[in-house]
Amino acid sequence: MKVYFLKKNNFIISYIHFNFKINNNNNNNNIIIFFLKKDIPTLAINFDLEWNRLKIAMDAIFNTAPLSDSLEGLYTLCENLCKYDYSSSLYQNIRNELIEYLKQEFINISKKLDEQNFLVSLSYLWTSFCKKLIMIRSIFLYLDRTYALREVKAGSLWSLGLELFKTYVANVSNIRIKAINELLALIEIDRQKKFITGEEENKYILLRTIIKMFIDLNMYEDFENAFLEASTIFYKKESRLYINKISMSTNSGQLIAEYLQSVETYLNEEVERCNLGCYNGYVDSVTRKSVTLIVENEMIKSYINIILEKGFEYLISSKAYNDLLRLYNLINRVDLLESLRIYFLNYIKKTGSFYVLDSSKDPVMVQSLLDFKKDLDDVLEQSFNNNDKFVNTVKEGFEIFINERQNKPAELISKYIDNKLRQVRSIPEETVEQLQERCMFLFRFINGKDVFEAYYKKDLSKRLLLFSKSINIELEKSMIAKLKDECGGGYTSKLEGMFKDMSVSKDLINDFIKEPEYSSRIGNVSLNVNVLTSGFWPSYPQSTYNMPQELLECQNAFSDFYLKSHSGRVLQWQNSLGFCVLKADFPKGAKELIVSLAQAIILLHFNNTDVLSYSEIETLSQMNTKELKKSLQSLSCGKYKVLIKNTEGKNVVESDSFVFNKEFESNLRVLKINSIQAKESLEERKTTREKVIKDRQYQIDAAIVRIMKARKTISHPILLSELFKQLKFSITPQDIKIRIESLIERDYIKRDLSNNTIYHYVL
Amino acid sequence: MKIKLNSWSSVALWKWVVTDEEDVCGICRNQFDRCCPSCKIPGDDCPLVWGQCTHCFHLHCMIKWLQTESSNQACPMDRRPWVYLTGDPTTQDSQQQQQEQQQEQQL
């Protein structure tokens, strides 16, 4: 038999090896194993005597005095007693000892209840008790592992000790309540950051120990409930203080920003507090969720309206993107993003309406809106996490405010793009392209897209016909492609047709030059004719002039050439469009003048004489009064005075007469005098608008007939609501009434004989 | 000569030659200035045709009409056999008219 004793950490663990003997002589070759018979000492044990030794040892441990026996001896003693069936008495005795000890200790500590360092005492008691209990358990390990584990409900000695400790904490003169209150007081001081410098670490250790005690004693819930309650009160108070200050202040926006900052700090602190890994953490991590929820609820949720009301507009208009991000995150935590979204939407609507509705801001409306959109994009990206809902809110907001004013935004967007496309030489191509893209964003929300089309078409036609040399055809086409993407091919087919006409005209004039039969008729004049298809282009007022022979011959030569290859057609010359380049030999230097056809006709008449009166010019040119006056004014009163008017003043009257300006001089060689052509007159705008309205009438008519055809009989209010649903632009009930009357006149529909408000479809 | 015309960028609209702007195609009853019902945009893509009987229609309308059995390859207006007119005289007429107009203006 071999017995090994291994000594490790004061515990003696014995291994007994079985010794078996193999009998070789046995024929059966059986292995016979002889179990070692352990000798049990027959000596009778005096339990009381032996227990006394153990009790002395326990007392020594309780009093932290040196032990008289060796630990090894004590362990064996316990083991022996257990083997002689004294386990239960032993257990009972240990229990009594523990009770005795704890009773004494708790009497002591309850005397210190009102002392300042009660918590310190409690923590000391707890830690030393734990140490002692471990020691005792080590001595009685054998008992702990056999009897205690198997037979006793309370389980091991360790849990017995904690159980007993718990009953004292729970029952002796409010120790528990006192301890919790003390803890909460300490935590409040921590929250207010009022720990004395240098002491924080000790306090944190103390807090951590006591809270750990509650956890070990299975009483954490008591603490947690009290802690959460105290947190609620604390944050309620804290937030009310802030909010009172905010509502009193005139500078509430800034204060809100500060408030949000402190909320964030509080949240971070609570998270750290609930992280035992942090040096300042002492609350168990299970509480983290509840306590942060309290901060969120008390500081954000309860005051969400005040925060948004007082803070949101300030933050967004001062572009405080970090503060907005904080606001977004905090509100996101309490799941109230919808409130934030509504404030965001209102802000967009309010700001947008401010730009859109005030007609004095018209010249800068589009630029302001584009800048506004850019700012909002920044907000979305930097503060709102590009949240889809908020991205859509921006769109929603734009759609609402941009349609608050009819027609004007569409007109101004078209004008804005026109302006940029005319300046392509001074603006980099990419910039224009980006601007187009951004304008498309605005365009997308306009209900009256027909208005935009009308104005865009008009502007485009001017660019193509009057500025053909200075526009960038690629950029023009990319704009059309964008419109096509947005509204489909039907929307842009006419605009595309305009480009087609331009390129066809270019080929035509090349062919014309190649045919000397026609081109020789026009002499040295370099002629270019844009042949337009009438449906594509906006209609222009027809003006007829009496033209000098050389001009007339140009037209005739081209007409002959064109009609030769295009039978069944006529050409209708648009004299108000197009421009001429004249070479004028002024005594002080020759100049090239870019002028309108009307201006050219007037100037050409001065070849024969130096002085012409208004009436003479009128007879010669057969121009209508308005056009003649405008042309003469631009020649004699504008920037470049090619003609000299005999009277002062900016306006031309019938009695004026004009002299060719022989003294004319200028630094420039090429002078543009046809700007009146490029400018949009009020009249033109009016006709554009009228044309849109007229086109809309057809749409209204068609919609009414469509509805009537489907319903056969319908009452007036229902017809109205159906129409509002179908028509994309806004209309007034009066407009509709007029259209209904007109349809009744034309026998499309008729009124019910007995009831005026009911219509029937006429089959 | 003080002033000389160097170049002229001019603009003209082309229209179909029809005696009356209100005149309509005898098949679809749309104005000639507009297109036939199956087209959307008037112009090159929806031309007019003249028959030797001097009647005028949208080309698309005429093709459709001639494809129907009841047409008997006749002009829908006078039932005479339909023959496309080539080198059409109306153009010359209208050209003369135009020239006359311009001469009038000059005078």
Side-chain angles (χ1 to χ4, degrees):
Chain A
M1 183 181 112
K2 284 181 200 162
V3 177
Y4 297 94
F5 290 101
L6 296 169
K7 200 168 181 195
K8 189 182 172 194
N9 296 347
N10 291 341
F11 304 125
I12 303 162
I13 304 154
S14 59
Y15 294 88
I16 302 170
H17 276 222
F18 296 115
N19 198 11
F20 40 83
K21 187 172 156 193
I22 300 164
N23 191 345
N24 290 325
N25 301 333
N26 194 319
N27 294 336
N28 294 340
N29 257 348
N30 278 348
I31 301 170
I32 299 168
I33 300 168
F34 296 95
F35 283 96
L36 167 78
K37 270 209 169 165
K38 242 181 135 196
D39 291 336
I40 299 169
T42 46
L43 256 164
I45 278 186
N46 184 341
F47 175 73
D48 289 339
L49 205 69
E50 303 297 343
W51 162 246
N52 214 29
R53 269 174 71 196
L54 289 167
K55 181 176 153 44
I56 289 167
M58 272 179 80
D59 283 345
I61 290 169
F62 285 143
N63 294 324
T64 45
L67 296 176
S68 46
D69 283 295
S70 73
L71 288 169
E72 188 184 334
L74 291 170
Y75 175 84
T76 339
L77 192 53
C78 164
E79 188 183 351
N80 285 341
L81 285 175
C82 288
K83 284 179 179 163
Y84 281 95
D85 270 351
Y86 287 115
S87 294
S88 81
S89 329
L90 194 55
Y91 189 85
Q92 203 54 45
N93 281 1
I94 293 167
R95 186 165 188 272
N96 289 340
E97 276 301 305
L98 285 171
I99 291 174
E100 198 57 37
Y101 165 73
L102 285 172
K103 200 191 220 166
Q104 195 53 47
E105 287 293 324
F106 273 89
I107 288 171
N108 290 341
I109 202 161
S110 59
K111 284 178 194 153
K112 294 180 187 166
L113 212 55
D114 295 323
E115 284 178 22
Q116 254 197 334
N117 51 0
F118 163 73
L119 270 191
V120 182
S121 313
L122 183 62
S123 139
Y124 179 75
L125 170 62
W126 164 249
T127 40
S128 67
F129 178 72
C130 286
K131 273 186 213 152
K132 289 165 184 173
L133 192 57
I134 289 170
M135 191 67 134
I136 290 168
R137 191 188 55 178
S138 305
I139 293 172
F140 295 104
L141 191 68
Y142 190 85
L143 177 73
D144 193 43
R145 284 297 135 97
T146 55
Y147 174 79
L149 213 58
R150 275 199 312 269
E151 317 272 337
V152 191
K153 217 174 154 192
S156 69
L157 287 176
W158 173 253
S159 26
L160 172 72
L162 293 188
E163 191 64 31
L164 293 173
F165 198 94
K166 181 177 173 181
T167 48
Y168 280 98
V169 173
N171 297 333
V172 176
S173 18
N174 298 331
I175 284 191
R176 181 179 52 114
I177 297 170
K178 175 71 180 170
I180 289 177
N181 285 346
E182 287 281 309
L183 276 177
L184 296 178
L186 264 184
I187 292 174
E188 173 141 353
I189 296 174
D190 181 27
R191 278 184 174 143
Q192 290 165 344
K193 299 176 201 64
K194 282 183 184 158
F195 278 146
I196 300 162
T197 334
E199 267 190 16
E200 299 102 332
E201 183 133 20
N202 285 336
K203 297 282 184 196
Y204 290 136
I205 292 172
L206 178 61
L207 282 163
R208 205 175 303 162
T209 316
I210 303 280
I211 291 170
K212 182 76 178 24
M213 178 188 91
F214 276 105
I215 296 171
D216 286 341
L217 294 180
N218 222 351
M219 293 167 77
Y220 183 71
E221 222 168 280
D222 292 346
F223 164 76
E224 191 184 28
N225 290 340
F227 171 69
L228 293 178
E229 206 172 298
S231 306
T232 313
I233 294 168
F234 177 80
Y235 286 113
K236 234 186 199 125
K237 202 178 82 195
E238 202 68 4
S239 58
R240 193 173 311 131
L241 263 173
Y242 268 109
I243 296 292
N244 282 344
K245 212 164 95 190
I246 287 166
S247 41
M248 308 276 269
S249 164
T250 48
N251 183 23
S252 48
Q254 186 55 42
L255 287 177
I256 290 279
E258 284 166 21
Y259 177 68
L260 294 171
Q261 224 155 25
S262 62
V263 174
E264 195 179 60
T265 317
Y266 277 133
L267 277 171
N268 289 340
E269 278 170 11
E270 289 304 332
V271 170
E272 279 177 12
R273 186 162 293 130
C274 295
N275 181 354
L276 294 174
C278 281
Y279 94 102
N280 54 351
Y282 43 79
V283 179
D284 194 78
S285 57
V286 293
T287 315
R288 189 181 60 222
K289 225 171 171 177
S290 328
V291 74
T292 48
L293 192 71
I294 286 171
V295 183
E296 288 157 7
N297 283 347
E298 294 304 330
M299 302 203 80
I300 299 293
K301 207 170 188 170
S302 308
Y303 296 107
I304 181 83
N305 284 329
I306 294 185
I307 293 170
L308 288 172
E309 180 72 44
K310 302 257 178 189
F312 182 72
E313 205 173 315
Y314 170 82
L315 293 179
I316 198 166
S317 54
S318 59
K319 301 186 182 175
Y321 298 139
N322 285 336
D323 289 325
L324 278 176
L325 175 63
R326 192 170 292 125
L327 180 70
Y328 174 85
N329 284 335
L330 289 173
I331 292 182
N332 193 13
R333 293 176 79 129
V334 296
D335 216 11
L336 281 174
L337 279 185
E338 185 57 21
S339 312
L340 177 61
R341 200 188 68 81
I342 288 169
Y343 272 89
F344 187 48
L345 178 63
N346 287 339
Y347 170 75
I348 295 170
K349 284 198 284 196
K350 192 176 142 196
T351 315
S353 310
F354 172 75
Y355 293 129
V356 169
L357 292 183
D358 185 352
S359 58
S360 70
K361 292 197 178 61
D362 282 353
V364 292
M365 185 208 284
V366 177
Q367 190 59 53
S368 311
L369 291 181
L370 290 178
D371 294 344
F372 182 46
K373 168 72 175 38
K374 207 168 189 182
D375 289 346
L376 289 177
D377 281 346
D378 287 347
V379 173
L380 287 175
E381 195 187 316
Q382 296 183 30
S383 305
F384 293 163
N385 215 0
N386 272 333
N387 182 327
D388 282 348
K389 275 193 183 152
F390 285 79
V391 174
N392 288 334
T393 303
V394 172
K395 294 178 184 163
E396 191 185 331
F398 268 79
E399 180 159 8
I400 294 168
F401 75 69
I402 218 163
N403 289 309
E404 274 178 354
R405 189 158 166 214
Q406 286 302 307
N407 306 345
K408 199 70 190 180
E411 179 187 336
L412 290 175
I413 293 170
S414 155
K415 180 147 250 130
Y416 182 85
I417 297 172
D418 176 55
N419 192 14
K420 297 295 166 200
L421 286 173
R422 280 188 195 188
Q423 296 174 24
V424 278
R425 285 195 177 165
S426 52
I427 310 174
E429 206 166 299
E430 302 88 61
T431 317
V432 179
E433 186 100 41
Q434 281 168 9
L435 277 172
Q436 289 177 349
E437 197 57 60
R438 288 166 60 196
C439 287
M440 286 308 294
F441 177 84
L442 299 180
F443 167 76
R444 208 159 286 153
F445 303 116
I446 284 181
N447 283 343
K449 294 205 167 45
D450 48 352
V451 180
F452 179 87
E453 191 205 353
Y455 282 103
Y456 192 82
K457 195 160 111 172
K458 189 178 55 60
D459 292 336
L460 175 63
S461 82
K462 283 213 166 153
R463 284 201 299 279
L464 291 177
L465 298 177
L466 297 177
F467 298 91
S468 52
K469 281 180 187 123
S470 58
I471 58 167
N472 181 333
I473 213 81
E474 289 308 314
L475 283 174
E476 293 286 352
K477 286 196 170 153
S478 92
M479 185 67 206
I480 302 290
K482 287 189 177 76
L483 290 172
K484 194 172 181 177
D485 280 349
E486 194 62 42
C487 301
Y491 189 73
T492 50
S493 59
K494 289 187 183 176
L495 300 175
E496 283 168 308
M498 289 163 77
F499 285 101
K500 202 179 142 206
D501 276 351
M502 293 304 284
S503 66
V504 169
S505 303
K506 209 171 176 183
D507 295 342
L508 270 173
I509 204 73
N510 285 339
D511 293 344
F512 173 77
I513 290 166
K514 279 180 205 145
E515 295 209 27
E517 183 193 336
Y518 301 103
S519 54
S520 61
R521 287 162 62 184
I522 61 168
N524 290 330
V525 180
S526 126
L527 180 68
N528 179 41
V529 180
N530 292 311
V531 182
L532 314 182
T533 307
S534 52
F536 296 152
W537 298 75
S539 52
Y540 292 98
Q542 197 63 28
S543 24
T544 48
Y545 312 136
N546 190 5
M547 286 197 275
Q549 189 55 42
E550 53 184 315
L551 290 173
L552 202 58
E553 187 54 29
C554 287
Q555 283 190 349
N556 289 341
F558 188 82
S559 284
D560 292 348
F561 161 77
Y562 182 79
L563 298 176
K564 184 195 68 165
S565 50
H566 296 81
S567 58
R569 298 184 184 190
V570 279
L571 282 182
Q572 200 178 71
W573 294 93
Q574 301 288 305
N575 291 333
S576 61
L577 296 166
F579 57 91
C580 303
V581 180
L582 298 180
K583 188 163 173 279
D585 285 322
F586 293 105
K588 293 198 172 170
K591 300 285 171 205
E592 264 186 31
L593 307 177
I594 301 176
V595 291
S596 70
L597 180 62
Q599 288 170 329
I601 292 170
I602 295 170
L603 287 178
L604 284 170
H605 284 301
F606 280 89
N607 272 335
N608 310 324
T609 168
D610 280 345
V611 188
L612 281 172
S613 70
Y614 178 91
S615 51
E616 280 171 318
I617 300 173
E618 194 177 21
T619 335
L620 282 166
S621 67
Q622 297 292 325
M623 257 177 236
N624 73 39
T625 320
K626 206 167 159 198
E627 238 172 322
L628 181 61
K629 276 190 182 169
K630 216 164 69 179
S631 304
L632 280 170
Q633 190 183 19
S634 58
L635 287 171
S636 63
C637 311
K639 198 170 163 195
Y640 308 114
K641 293 185 176 56
V642 186
L643 298 179
I644 297 172
K645 186 157 71 94
N646 67 341
T647 57
E648 292 292 313
K650 284 274 172 198
N651 290 319
V652 174
V653 290
E654 277 84 347
S655 55
D656 286 337
S657 67
F658 301 87
V659 186
F660 186 74
N661 185 0
K662 284 187 174 152
E663 303 300 311
F664 185 85
E665 57 183 336
S666 165
N667 294 330
L668 298 168
R669 201 179 61 83
V670 180
L671 306 171
K672 255 188 158 172
I673 318 184
N674 65 339
S675 57
I676 46 158
Q677 251 180 319
K679 253 191 220 152
E680 185 188 36
S681 65
L682 275 173
E683 226 169 297
E684 255 181 274
R685 266 198 227 180
K686 213 173 130 202
T687 49
T688 313
R689 217 171 301 143
E690 275 164 5
K691 195 177 161 288
V692 173
I693 290 167
K694 208 173 159 193
D695 284 348
R696 282 185 175 181
Q697 284 181 0
Y698 296 129
Q699 286 192 49
I700 300 173
D701 285 0
I704 294 176
V705 171
R706 243 191 337 265
I707 295 165
M708 291 308 297
K709 210 166 184 172
R711 300 283 198 105
K712 303 293 184 245
T713 298
I714 199 169
S715 71
H716 186 74
I718 297 174
L719 177 63
L720 283 197
S721 74
E722 286 277 322
L723 278 175
F724 288 129
K725 245 186 271 169
Q726 284 202 9
L727 297 169
K728 292 210 177 85
F729 46 84
S730 73
I731 28 169
T732 61
Q734 281 74 29
D735 292 337
I736 297 179
K737 253 187 181 149
I738 295 169
R739 298 322 303 158
I740 291 175
E741 290 302 332
S742 140
L743 285 170
I744 289 173
E745 260 172 46
R746 284 180 284 164
D747 278 343
Y748 280 93
I749 55 180
K750 65 181 180 195
R751 278 184 207 281
D752 192 88
L753 291 174
S754 53
N755 188 344
N756 244 355
T757 62
I758 288 179
Y759 306 112
H760 298 288
Y761 183 63
V762 179
L763 292 171
Chain B
M1 200 63 134
K2 287 175 284 195
I3 291 168
K4 204 170 132 280
L5 179 67
N6 261 7
S7 78
W8 183 16
S9 179
S10 139
V11 178
L13 278 179
W14 69 262
K15 295 196 166 176
W16 298 112
V17 179
V18 272
T19 40
D20 184 0
E21 278 197 17
E22 297 292 306
D23 219 355
V24 295
C25 164
I27 297 173
C28 67
R29 312 297 290 170
N30 274 350
Q31 285 174 14
F32 285 121
D33 267 356
R34 311 201 167 183
C35 51
C36 78
S38 49
C39 290
K40 280 203 172 131
I41 301 151
D44 259 342
D45 297 331
C46 186
L48 304 185
V49 285
W50 282 264
Q52 280 184 352
C53 54
T54 72
H55 290 122
C56 171
F57 304 95
H58 287 119
L59 173 65
H60 297 156
C61 294
M62 197 63 216
I63 291 171
K64 253 186 223 161
W65 162 250
L66 294 175
Q67 277 165 358
T68 59
E69 271 183 39
S70 53
S71 70
N72 293 328
Q73 304 300 307
C75 169
M77 304 294 268
D78 55 15
R79 302 284 159 193
R80 275 157 60 185
W82 177 260
V83 183
Y84 286 107
L85 185 71
T86 46
D88 90 82
T90 40
T91 318
Q92 283 148 25
D93 289 346
S94 75
Q95 228 174 308
Q96 277 165 13
Q97 276 171 16
Q98 213 180 6
Q99 276 171 358
E100 278 161 22
Q101 273 172 16
Q102 278 162 1
Q103 275 158 12
E104 275 165 25
Q105 278 172 16
Q106 269 181 311
L107 292 170

